[in-house]
């Protein structure tokens, strides 16, 4: 992350129907998303003013809506959509998104599958 402050949302859970296999689309599964927002928190801290920072409650609702929304084949695509949504918030300069797919259709024992991306305005 560039030299900015960070606001993190970890473990956002939502049920989605993402995946390339028909059973993933039909049955759905739980996805978990971590988002780290890079922004300058000094203006908000100086005035103790929510309007001068990012409202992480709103961001959380937007992330869940994207996971629950239109299905995509790849969690890479889902991560990109989430990142673009986060960057629409004016104070956010950079975002790291990690999408977890713990129920991925893999034939061997595993704990989790993740895709992590970083996007910025610069």
């Amino acid at each position: 992350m560039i030299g900015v402050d960070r606001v993190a949302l970890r473990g956002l859970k939502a049920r989605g129907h993402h995946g390339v296999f028909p059973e993933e689309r039909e049955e759905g599964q739980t996805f978990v998303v971590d988002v780290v927002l890079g922004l300058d928190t000094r203006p908000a801290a100086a005035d103790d003013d929510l309007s001068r920072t990012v409202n992480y409650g709103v961001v959380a609702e937007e992330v869940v809506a994207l996971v629950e929304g239109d299905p995509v084949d790849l969690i890479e695509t889902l991560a990109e959509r989430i990142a673009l949504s986060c960057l629409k918030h004016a104070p956010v300069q950079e975002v790291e998104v990690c999408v977890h797919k713990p129920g991925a259709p893999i034939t061997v024992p595993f704990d989790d599958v993740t895709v992590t991306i970083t996007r910025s305005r610069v």
Side-chain angles (χ1 to χ4, degrees):
M1 308 225 34
I2 56 178
V4 293
D5 304 322
R6 292 181 300 279
V7 173
L9 293 161
R10 303 212 188 270
L12 296 169
K13 294 179 181 72
R15 189 158 185 84
H17 294 266
H18 311 289
V20 296
F21 298 113
E23 57 272 15
E24 293 181 288
R25 293 293 183 105
E26 293 166 15
E27 297 170 19
Q29 60 190 289
T30 299
F31 292 84
V32 181
V33 178
D34 303 321
V35 176
V36 180
L37 307 168
L39 64 148
D40 185 353
T41 62
R42 290 175 294 189
D47 296 332
D48 198 27
D49 184 355
L50 176 61
S51 71
R52 302 191 72 193
T53 188
V54 63
N55 185 330
Y56 52 78
V58 170
V59 172
E61 291 170 358
E62 292 170 352
V63 169
V64 167
L66 286 165
V67 173
E68 293 175 342
D70 293 335
V72 296
D73 288 344
L74 304 176
I75 57 175
E76 291 88 333
T77 305
L78 180 60
E80 187 72 24
R81 288 181 178 181
I82 292 168
L84 293 174
S85 175
C86 292
L87 288 171
K88 288 181 182 176
H89 294 269
V92 177
Q93 300 168 27
E94 184 174 78
V95 62
E96 179 182 277
V97 177
C98 181
V99 176
H100 301 254
K101 189 175 180 181
I106 297 176
T107 60
V108 297
F110 74 102
D111 289 329
D112 199 5
V113 172
T114 66
V115 169
T116 303
I117 66 171
T118 303
R119 301 292 182 266
S120 67
R121 293 182 187 279
V122 288

